[in-house]
Every structure is written in C-alpha cells, then in structure tokens.
Amino acid sequence: MDRENTAIEHSTKKVDNEENKRFQFAHWQFFNDKDELWNTQTHTVSKLEPQVARLLTLLIIQQGQVLTKEMLNKQLWPNTIVEANSLYQLLTKLRKELQDSAKNPLYIKTVPKKGYLFLPEVSVISMSESEPVKRDSNITTQNQLAKTKLPLSSQIQSLLTKKRCWALTLSAGACFSAIAFFSSTPDDIVTPVYEREDITYALGVEFNVAAHIQYDLLAYIEQFNTLKITDKKGQYQQTRTFDTRIAHPTWHPEKKQLAYWQYQGDKCILHISDEHGDMIHSSEPMPCHVIRPPVWQSDNELVLTIIEKSEHSAYLYRVEQKQLVKIPLPKKANEKYVGAIRAWGEQIYYLIVDAEHNSRLVSLDGKVHLTWSFPIWLFNFDPEKKTIVSNDDSAHYNLIGKHRNGQTYPVFATSQGMFSNLSIDQSGDIYTAAETWQVNIRDQDDLPIFSSSSNDFLPVTNDLGETVFMSRRTGQCEIYLHSNNQLKQLSFNKGHELVSFLAWDPQLSKILSNRDKELVLYDREDVIISFDSQHNSMPRQFGWLDQQSIWSSDTQFVHTFNLDGSLLTKTKFASDFLIFDTEQQSWIVLQDDTLYLTSSLANFDAQKQSLTALPKNAIHMIKNPRLVNGELYWQSTWSKTDIIWKMPLSSPQMVTKIRQEPLIWHYDITPDGALRVAKMESVEADIRRIAPQPKDS
C-alpha cells in the first residue's frame, strides 16, 4: 500500500512539473497540461474540469494497475475530508467524456472491493525540441504519428523530461478543416493593452449598449424604458420612450437599422427602427419569459433567443413575412442554449453550456469552434482581432478574449459590480455597461444583515428569527446562516453548481437545499448529506413533508425521499407552482389559472378542491412560493416588472399585490409577517468604451 502510494506521488509530481505532454490511447489524445481531451475520430476537443483531468492522469500513469479509492482520494484531495460520492462523481464525468460504460467498460473498469483499472494501452507522443514545427499547417499525418508512438514503459521517462510537445495531430484527410480552424490566428500573439473611457456620466441606469460595427452610432437603454441613440462619444441624437420595458438593441452590421425588444405583459415584441428611432417594423407579440439580444443573419432574417419557462430556444425570424421558425440546435436534453452571435465568415454561432458547466461555441452542423471550462453568459465577437470576448471564471466576471486556437488574453478587470453586456465595432473598441449595486437583506430594524454586489439571494427566515440564504459574493453559490447577530458560512463550494431553493424543516433543525440536481441537507454547522434528486433536470420546487421526509419536483415529476436519500415515491405530476402545507398535510397546486387544494397528487383530479382563479399577471413566471402563518406568498413578472403577491388560505379570494417594482431578486417573510425584500439598491450603470491602445513604435 505504501509503496503504491509513493509510486503514484512520484509519478504525479513529475507529470505536474512537466509543461507539455500528450498521451494516446484508442482514438483519444489527452493533453494533461491543458486539460484537453481530443477525439481523433470526430476531430473535437473537450476541456476537462481540473479534477477530472487529474483523475485521468492518475489512471494513465498507472495503466494496468488497480488504484484503490483510498489512493485516488489521497491524490485528488490531499489533506482534505471529502464526501463519499466525490470520487464517484468524478468517475461519472470522466466516463461520460470518454463515452464509456461502467457495465461494459472500454477504458475504466471497476474492480469490486478493490478499486479502478485503466484498460487501454497508453502511448506517449513526444517531439524532439530540435525537430522543426511546420506552423503553416499545424498538421501531423498518421504516418508521422506512428513514428513517435512508443510503449509507455519506454517513453514515460522521456516524456517527463521534455519541455515541449506539438499540438494535436490529425489525419491527413483532416488537413483542410484544421488549416481553416487555425488560419485566423497568428503564430505570435501580442497581448493587447486596453484603456477605459466613460461615455455616459449621469446618475441613473444606462445599460444594454450596442455599437454599430461600421458607423458612428451607439444605442442603449436608459431607466428601463427609454431608447437612446447617440454617436460613439455619447452625444445625444434621438430619444424614444415606451410605456413598458425595452431591451437589447442590436444594429444591422451594414445598414443603419436597429432591432430591439419590448416586454409587453407575458409577451415580447421585436421592433426595428432607423437611426432616428423611427419605426420600420414591429413583430406580432411572442410568448416569452426572458429574451437575449437578437442577431442579424441577413437583411430580412434575424436569429432570436427566447426563454420560455425553463427552456432556451433559438428561432429564425423573417421580417417581411413575420414568420417565426424554431431552429434545431445541436445540443442534448440536459444542456442549455445561452445565445447566438455573428462571428467568423459572417456566420451565426450558438453558445451551449453542458451539464458540467463547460461552454462551447458551435455552428448549426454541430461542429465545435471554441470551448471554455466554465459557464459563459457574456460574449461577443471582436471583428478586428477575430476573437470572442467573454466573461472569465472569476467572482467579478472580468473580460477575456479567446482566439480560435484556444489562446486567451486579458481584456479588462472590474473590482466592483460587473459588465452586463458587450458590443464591439470593427476597430476593436468594446462598448459595455458597467453596473454597480448593493443587494441587501434587511433585519427587523431595516438594517442590512448582508450586503453584496452578488445577483442571487434566497433568504428564508424561521420562527426563531434565523435567516439562511444564498450568495454569489465569492463567485460560487454559497449558503450562509445569520443567527444571534452572527454570520456563518455553511458551504464551501468550488464549482459552478446552482442553488435554486432553501427551506427550513418543520422543527427548525435542518435546512434543505440543492446543488444542481443534487439535494443537500444542512444543520447549523455543515452539510449533513447530499444525494441525487433522480430528476432529469434541476429541481424547480421542493419542500418538507414532515420531519423525516422531503419532496422535490422538476415540474414534471414529484419525488419523495427519506433523510438518507432513499427514494420513497415517484409521481408523474406536471405543475409550475407546487407547495406542501406541513401543518394541514395538503398540497397547493396551480393548474391553468386556478389554485387547488388536495391531499394527494396521485389522485389529484378526484380530490382537488378549488381555492381561487388567479389573474394572468399573477401567474406569469410564477415562482418562490412561501407559506407563512396561514398565508401564501409568491412572485410573478409582468412586462418584466417583478410583483409579490399575498393570499390568506382562510380567504382565498383576497389576492393582493404587496410589492411591485423592477429588480426584486427574492423576498422573505419574517415571523411577524413583515415583508423583507432582497433587491438591487443604489443601482448605477454607465456606458463605457474599452479601447485597445496603439502598439509602441
């Protein structure tokens, strides 16, 4: 045991100190200095999570030997106590990347009661530093590849002493696609230097900026419902004000035409105007929850990104015909489409984020053009540098640029707030809205118990006056407890998993939450247990049945569990609004536009009792149900304005609005029934230009 551990530590240390190395097994090549896994059959690349890449390295360098769970845990998490299923989760992710099966493994075999065995023969591919690299093609033929492949036993020492290796080798038949892939990026990349300049200065909210790629035209939104059209120095030209919120102006790449959205009730309207703000076209209202910037595909066609309930969809909109056609995106069911951009070759590309939070930019044929090992949500194309500028992986979401060959460079960092959108013209000038704010959770004296420039909170206060909530202030979703005027952090997560709910148990001793599809239980000190919710997607609704059992719903199925994670029941039941009253042991359900009461979901139609019909503005984007002191609370959105509602169960006809305004993230109800809102306060947003500076002569 000790000798095996020492061997792993010795080998791993050498590999970690090596700058560049490449392993070959079956049709895979693995660059463990870049955490990249290449499929030489499909000519695609996956960026592995660091721990997944480290696990693959450990398996490779001990190919043919059984590695125990204890060995792997010690190497992957040194001096750290981890949950029992942490290694299993890494293995699951790695097998998914390798398209491997635990039952019929090609690569990773589970040896019962012993550990794991890496099955395929492994070769090290290396290149002598003295051998010239043909940078004009970046291609190695299969014949050349065969000359460099040697058994691992005779090559491992050579590998670990080399300083460099070549890029991915492809077959001769892939030359054309590889040349096209890399030709837009020079061999020697000079990191640009940027300087910031304020375009707007006035107090208030100015955001959603769009710069025309060719002309001296700028458009942005002011105070949510006013369209401003200026030159690129911010000199006003035209103003147009609407009665509801507007968003995401986008200039035609060649014409002086501007497309933008207007929220109207539970629908969205696409407008097109000229440079004076005069209307050219308005679409029919489209059902929507949220929208992203439109993308011009041609004079008559735009690609629209519309979020409907939990689904993100892409549509082709034909202006003259007012025709909307859904675009079949190359993604899996558990992957999320984020948005589209017009980039290389004036083509449209689509951003997809997978279940492990890796991002990829793809064309409609499924070809991967760029990847990131973290979620991308802010992105645009720099036509001058032929790169994608996006958010990075930091807590503040600084801006970075990325070439098609994978090389990145820093663009600009922000120390407070965040950049909320990007627009880039043909000179490489980046126009962005820099937003700053405070999100406050306030106590009974209206003093903030926690303030942050984070954008997500889920405060839940129990009858003891303790508040548990989630914050992204560290860049990750973390759980905090405010009790006895002290703040304690309960979770220490390093991934991108989302937290979407929190709930106290009936006896106020435990807290129920989630991490993506995992359900998590906390006490007042730490995590008690986490387990798979067994839903196909992240749970959207949740709660306690009693002190010993919990429930969750993905809006299609309701699962119940005991507190050790064992699945008790699975009931097919579709609902966007569901809450369980632990005192009355009954469900409150919204179907169509009516609230019902029932003691059983399995026999809902036979047992349902109508409570009240709700107006449309109370059920659009309905979320965050709370049941406190016999009164039901929830949130909705209408014309992109947030509304908090209240309904006494004893008088269900008395449905009232208790708060209505933009930018309410979440809310809380204190033990005495007072409303506490977690919302943006002291909001400021200004338009800025981040311009590349000329090179020194």
Side-chain angles (χ1 to χ4, degrees):
M1 179 74 72
D2 291 338
R3 286 197 300 272
E4 290 172 332
N5 279 336
T6 302
I8 293 178
E9 291 170 0
H10 183 61
S11 299
T12 305
K13 184 176 180 180
K14 287 185 176 181
V15 170
D16 286 343
N17 288 337
E18 182 60 26
E19 291 182 3
N20 296 292
K21 44 262 162 197
R22 181 177 63 204
F23 300 99
Q24 173 90 30
F25 57 93
H27 60 278
W28 300 97
Q29 291 188 353
F30 173 50
F31 290 72
N32 73 347
D33 62 324
K34 298 179 180 179
D35 296 345
E36 290 180 352
L37 183 66
W38 291 78
N39 186 329
T40 60
Q41 289 182 342
T42 62
H43 308 304
T44 56
V45 60
S46 296
K47 185 74 172 182
L48 302 182
E49 294 180 22
Q51 284 292 75
V52 175
R54 183 166 174 77
L55 173 60
L56 179 55
T57 301
L58 292 171
L59 291 168
I60 282 176
I61 64 175
Q62 296 294 317
Q63 185 272 341
Q65 299 183 38
V66 176
L67 302 184
T68 67
K69 295 180 181 179
E70 293 76 12
M71 295 176 188
L72 291 172
N73 280 329
K74 181 178 179 181
Q75 293 300 315
L76 292 165
W77 297 281
N79 304 315
T80 304
I81 298 175
V82 296
E83 296 177 20
N85 64 350
S86 296
L87 178 59
Y88 171 77
Q89 291 175 354
L90 286 186
L91 284 162
T92 299
K93 292 178 180 179
L94 180 55
R95 281 177 168 139
K96 181 179 178 182
E97 292 287 353
L98 293 171
Q99 301 162 29
D100 200 15
S101 167
K103 293 183 179 179
N104 300 294
L106 295 175
Y107 306 107
I108 305 171
K109 179 181 179 180
T110 300
V111 181
K113 298 183 180 181
K114 291 185 178 181
Y116 302 95
L117 177 68
F118 196 67
L119 297 174
E121 290 293 326
V122 179
S123 300
V124 174
I125 303 173
S126 63
M127 178 170 288
S128 171
E129 291 184 19
S130 62
E131 185 174 348
V133 178
K134 298 179 181 179
R135 290 190 178 272
D136 58 337
S137 65
N138 285 326
I139 300 298
T140 299
T141 66
Q142 288 290 358
N143 288 335
Q144 291 169 328
L145 180 61
K147 294 178 182 179
T148 63
K149 290 176 61 176
L150 297 173
L152 182 62
S153 58
S154 62
Q155 282 294 312
I156 189 69
Q157 187 61 38
S158 174
L159 166 73
L160 297 178
T161 58
K162 295 297 181 183
K163 297 290 185 176
R164 298 179 182 174
C165 71
W166 208 18
L168 171 68
T169 60
L170 300 177
S171 66
C175 289
F176 178 81
S177 61
I179 292 171
F181 185 86
F182 287 108
S183 61
S184 63
T185 304
D187 292 334
D188 297 320
I189 297 173
V190 177
T191 300
V193 177
Y194 289 86
E195 288 189 3
R196 190 192 71 187
E197 176 188 359
D198 290 337
I199 302 298
T200 62
Y201 304 90
L203 293 176
V205 180
E206 295 139 343
F207 62 105
N208 280 182
V209 60
H212 200 294
I213 191 172
Q214 297 184 30
Y215 299 108
D216 187 18
L217 288 169
L218 204 66
Y220 59 88
I221 308 302
E222 182 179 76
Q223 298 299 115
F224 306 112
N225 65 342
T226 298
L227 174 67
K228 293 280 189 178
I229 299 176
T230 72
D231 63 20
K232 290 181 179 176
K233 293 182 180 179
Q235 300 299 314
Y236 291 125
Q237 295 178 0
Q238 305 293 336
T239 298
R240 184 180 180 92
T241 300
F242 295 79
D243 57 355
T244 57
R245 286 188 65 170
I246 57 174
H248 301 304
T250 304
W251 289 103
H252 188 289
E254 298 171 355
K255 296 183 176 182
K256 295 181 180 180
Q257 292 183 0
L258 185 69
Y260 56 95
W261 288 102
Q262 180 183 9
Y263 289 99
Q264 193 171 83
D266 57 351
K267 296 179 173 60
C268 296
I269 299 172
L270 180 73
H271 296 301
I272 299 176
S273 72
D274 61 19
E275 74 272 28
H276 305 296
D278 295 330
M279 204 67 71
I280 298 174
H281 173 87
S282 294
S283 72
E284 298 297 328
M286 308 174 196
C288 73
H289 282 192
V290 184
I291 41 78
R292 287 188 63 90
V295 179
W296 290 87
Q297 179 165 283
S298 65
D299 290 350
N300 184 52
E301 296 176 332
L302 295 96
V303 174
L304 308 181
T305 299
I306 302 176
I307 301 172
E308 306 156 292
K309 292 187 178 180
S310 59
E311 183 182 15
H312 297 56
S313 301
Y315 293 90
L316 180 67
Y317 179 71
R318 294 189 173 95
V319 177
E320 293 179 1
Q321 297 83 4
K322 290 191 174 183
Q323 182 185 30
L324 199 63
V325 181
K326 192 168 185 177
I327 299 173
L329 296 172
K331 71 180 187 70
K332 299 177 182 177
N334 62 350
E335 296 180 330
K336 184 175 74 173
Y337 162 63
V338 177
I341 59 170
R342 181 183 175 110
W344 304 284
E346 309 304 321
Q347 299 300 306
I348 305 300
Y349 300 84
Y350 305 87
L351 185 70
I352 309 293
V353 178
D354 65 23
E356 282 72 45
H357 309 285
N358 302 302
S359 305
R360 67 182 188 274
L361 195 67
V362 301
S363 44
L364 200 53
D365 59 6
K367 181 180 179 181
V368 178
H369 297 265
L370 212 55
T371 63
W372 297 263
S373 60
F374 52 88
I376 296 293
W377 59 272
L378 178 66
F379 62 104
N380 215 321
F381 180 64
D382 184 338
E384 195 274 330
K385 297 176 185 60
K386 309 299 183 188
T387 60
I388 301 296
V389 177
S390 73
N391 62 278
D392 69 357
D393 200 23
S394 68
H396 291 291
Y397 303 114
N398 301 316
L399 299 182
I400 58 172
K402 191 163 190 176
H403 294 273
R404 292 187 79 176
N405 70 350
Q407 290 181 277
T408 62
Y409 59 92
V411 175
F412 210 82
T414 177
S415 59
Q416 186 179 12
M418 67 174 62
F419 301 115
S420 60
N421 79 302
L422 297 172
S423 183
I424 311 173
D425 65 17
Q426 62 185 357
S427 65
D429 286 354
I430 301 170
Y431 293 82
T432 181
E435 299 185 12
T436 59
W437 64 82
Q438 284 293 111
V439 177
N440 295 318
I441 297 178
R442 298 183 177 274
D443 63 13
Q444 65 274 13
D445 299 317
D446 202 36
L447 298 174
I449 63 176
F450 193 82
S451 297
S452 174
S453 58
S454 165
N455 59 2
D456 279 290
F457 282 87
L458 294 161
V460 182
T461 302
N462 63 24
D463 287 342
L464 298 176
E466 299 173 306
T467 301
V468 62
F469 60 94
M470 184 275 290
S471 170
R472 291 175 182 262
R473 70 179 306 183
T474 64
Q476 285 81 34
C477 295
E478 301 290 11
I479 308 301
Y480 296 84
L481 173 66
H482 182 261
S483 178
N484 298 321
N485 295 318
Q486 293 183 339
L487 193 65
K488 179 185 295 183
Q489 186 172 341
L490 300 184
S491 72
F492 296 88
N493 184 54
K494 299 303 179 186
H496 300 284
E497 292 79 12
L498 297 176
V499 174
S500 59
F501 57 79
L502 289 163
W504 287 96
D505 74 322
Q507 299 300 317
L508 311 183
S509 61
K510 300 179 183 67
I511 302 157
L512 172 63
S513 183
N514 76 306
R515 289 268 177 202
D516 279 358
K517 291 171 61 178
E518 294 279 313
L519 295 176
V520 188
L521 287 176
Y522 298 86
D523 58 18
R524 287 175 172 81
E525 294 293 331
D526 204 348
V527 174
I528 302 173
I529 188 175
S530 65
F531 53 89
D532 189 354
S533 68
Q534 302 188 42
H535 291 294
N536 291 328
S537 59
M538 185 171 68
R540 300 290 178 181
Q541 303 165 104
F542 64 97
W544 293 82
L545 293 171
D546 52 44
Q547 190 62 24
Q548 300 300 322
S549 57
I550 60 178
W551 66 273
S552 65
S553 168
D554 61 358
T555 73
Q556 297 300 316
F557 286 87
V558 177
H559 296 174
T560 65
F561 302 87
N562 61 23
L563 298 192
D564 65 7
S566 298
L567 181 66
L568 301 177
T569 63
K570 180 177 181 179
T571 305
K572 184 174 176 58
F573 191 83
S575 176
D576 294 322
F577 185 89
L578 189 64
I579 192 169
F580 187 74
D581 186 342
T582 56
E583 293 185 2
Q584 301 299 321
Q585 288 291 293
S586 60
W587 297 92
I588 301 172
V589 179
L590 176 68
Q591 285 204 345
D592 297 324
D593 61 351
T594 302
L595 279 177
Y596 295 95
L597 195 67
T598 182
S599 59
S600 171
L601 298 180
N603 299 310
F604 174 72
D605 289 332
Q607 297 189 13
K608 67 182 181 182
Q609 174 188 348
S610 176
L611 290 176
T612 187
L614 297 177
K616 280 189 175 182
N617 60 343
I619 60 177
H620 180 57
M621 296 181 66
I622 192 168
K623 60 182 179 180
N624 295 340
R626 302 284 173 86
L627 189 58
V628 181
N629 299 329
E631 295 183 312
L632 182 65
Y633 301 81
W634 70 91
Q635 262 183 276
S636 70
T637 300
W638 192 252
S639 295
K640 205 62 171 67
T641 297
D642 302 306
I643 308 171
I644 301 176
W645 300 82
K646 174 182 175 180
M647 185 196 80
L649 292 182
S650 59
S651 303
Q653 303 301 321
M654 297 176 58
V655 178
T656 57
K657 295 181 188 178
I658 59 175
R659 194 74 168 261
Q660 179 174 343
E661 59 185 284
L663 306 181
I664 296 176
W665 292 122
H666 299 96
Y667 70 96
D668 188 18
I669 306 298
T670 62
D672 61 0
L675 174 66
R676 179 186 291 170
V677 172
K679 67 177 295 290
M680 279 187 171
E681 298 180 1
S682 304
V683 182
E684 291 188 19
D686 295 307
I687 308 302
R688 296 172 180 176
R689 176 168 53 229
I690 301 174
Q693 299 305 296
K695 299 177 183 177
D696 295 335
S697 57

